[in-house]
Amino acid sequence: MQRGALLFLLIGLIVIIGGLAAFLILRGSETAVTTSQTPEVPPPPTQVPFVPVVQARVDLEANTLLNDPTVLEVAEVQITEFDEAQEFSKINDVLGKLLINPVPAGQPIRRADLRDPGLAQRIPTPEPGQPRVKAYPLFVNNLSGVADQIGVNDFVDVVATFSVERQIVRPGPRQVITVNDNDQVIREFEFGETQTFFTTKTIIQRAQVLQIVRPAVPTASAEGAGTSPTETIPPPQSSSLPQVDASGQPITGGQVVEGGAGGVSTLTEGFWMVVLGLTDQEIELMEFALQSNARIVLALRGANDTAIEETTGVTLDLLVREFGVPLPRPLPPRVYSEDEVFRPTP
């Protein structure tokens, strides 16, 4: 009886173990089938980075000077859409440039749309109620151009000295002529020498220097062609230039000017052009002075000097009457005797 119960328990245990094994085998096969039937999920794509690009905030027309940052904006675009060779990422890179092509709002500013502004774009805006200045060129040298100490955006005064000629007319001797048996006494006037008088006046005040054009430095090819590095170009015919020698130095002499860097600075040889900002009225004054062969010099103003000075001008009679300059007494003429003229001195 005990053997039968034991056998029954052993058979039951074997059945349980076999069922459990079969269950595990079936579960593993189902998991393998499910795993093989489930597709693999690809990894998420790499995100494209964004970069800044400068574009127009409003519609911009051609010939617009980009000096107002409010008409520009910086947008974010994908790096694949950004052309580093033609587009900009900073507003400061385009400020001060001249737009030569129209750019609609929302479109990027490209390098092909820009160029450096010319002199016309650098002419300052006039003050309220005042005419806008124009660019006027004037040739100067080391005397008339303040020893080349003038810089762009400085202010200068223009001083002109005119020469006025006056002819002397003297009465001649009396002559008696007979007209209709009547004697008449007449006196003819004779033309004498011509006297020259000078008058000086500051004709323009606070003219802004827009640009300075200096002569080109001789290149190595020019030196090889026989041109000396120190050779200067003859100055143009301009009454604004003092008389100088062949080397460009003033005939009056002088090689240095005090007050430069370190106390002494050398004079600049030759001549150069100063472009001044003048109104039409001031240009007319300059042209008349140059056409009259007036001596023209520039006077450099100090920083923040905005005063307009009232001047009387200078003539010889004003110097004598207003400033007390003594008038020289005329010397008697030197008369040579016949012996001094016609008889040689041993």
Side-chain angles (χ1 to χ4, degrees), residues 11-12 14 48 71 84 87 94 103 129 148 157-158 162 188 198 200 206 214 230 234 261 289 293:
I11 294 172
I14 293 173
V48 179
V71 302
E84 185 178 0
E87 297 173 348
V94 301
V103 178
D148 199 16
D157 293 351
V158 181
F162 298 85
E188 295 183 355
F198 297 97
T200 301
R206 293 200 77 248
R214 292 179 172 84
T230 59
N293 293 323

Side-chain angles (χ1 to χ4, degrees), residues 141-145 158-163 198-201 203 238-243 250 252 289-290 292-298:
N141 68 355
N142 46 20
L143 289 185
S144 61
V158 181
V159 183
T161 298
F162 298 85
S163 60
F198 297 97
T199 175
T200 301
K201 177 67 176 176
I203 59 176
S238 172
S239 58
S240 66
L241 299 179
Q243 189 177 7
T252 54
L290 291 172
S292 302
N293 293 323
R295 166 82 161 87
I296 295 178
V297 296
L298 301 180

Side-chain angles (χ1 to χ4, degrees), residues 4-19:
L6 183 61
L7 180 62
F8 179 78
L9 290 176
L10 182 60
I11 294 172
L13 181 61
I14 293 173
V15 171
I16 293 173
I17 294 174

Side-chain angles (χ1 to χ4, degrees), residues 23-198:
F23 174 77
L24 292 176
I25 293 173
L26 292 175
R27 181 66 180 270
S29 62
E30 290 178 359
T31 304
V33 172
T34 304
T35 304
S36 62
Q37 293 178 354
T38 303
E40 295 183 359
V41 179
T46 303
Q47 187 176 3
V48 179
F50 285 81
V51 294
V53 60
V54 179
Q55 62 184 21
R57 185 189 298 270
V58 296
D59 292 338
L60 298 177
E61 299 180 355
N63 297 323
T64 299
L65 184 62
L66 299 179
N67 55 2
D68 184 6
T70 60
V71 302
L72 304 171
E73 64 181 3
V74 177
E76 296 287 336
V77 298
Q78 292 183 348
I79 192 171
T80 56
E81 300 177 1
F82 179 73
D83 188 355
E84 185 178 0
Q86 290 294 329
E87 297 173 348
F88 302 91
S89 59
K90 299 179 181 179
I91 293 182
N92 289 336
D93 294 338
V94 301
L95 285 180
K97 301 291 185 179
L98 180 66
L99 194 66
I100 59 177
N101 298 318
V103 178
Q107 293 297 318
I109 306 294
R110 301 178 62 85
R111 297 183 188 274
D113 299 328
L114 302 176
R115 71 169 177 86
D116 292 331
L119 181 59
Q121 285 75 35
R122 298 201 303 270
I123 293 179
T125 304
E127 298 179 359
Q130 299 295 326
R132 190 170 188 180
V133 299
K134 290 81 176 176
Y136 181 85
L138 179 68
F139 279 105
V140 297
N141 68 355
N142 46 20
L143 289 185
S144 61
V146 199
D148 199 16
Q149 301 301 303
I150 300 175
V152 176
N153 294 328
D154 284 344
F155 288 86
V156 296
D157 293 351
V158 181
V159 183
T161 298
F162 298 85
S163 60
V164 181
E165 295 184 350
R166 183 176 65 178
Q167 196 169 29
I168 303 300
V169 179
R170 295 186 177 91
R174 293 182 178 182
Q175 297 181 6
V176 179
I177 62 175
T178 302
V179 179
N180 297 330
D181 297 332
N182 294 324
D183 294 337
Q184 295 182 359
V185 178
I186 62 173
R187 186 189 300 273
E188 295 183 355
F189 288 86
E190 301 176 348
F191 291 94
E193 74 277 3
T194 300
Q195 294 181 344
T196 302
F197 300 90
F198 297 97

Side-chain angles (χ1 to χ4, degrees), residues 6 20 43 91 108 120 135 158 196 215 223 228 230 251 265 284 291 329:
L6 183 61
L20 180 61
I91 293 182
V158 181
T196 302
E223 295 177 8
S228 172
T230 59
I251 293 179
S265 60
E284 292 171 358
Q291 188 64 30
R329 181 178 180 180

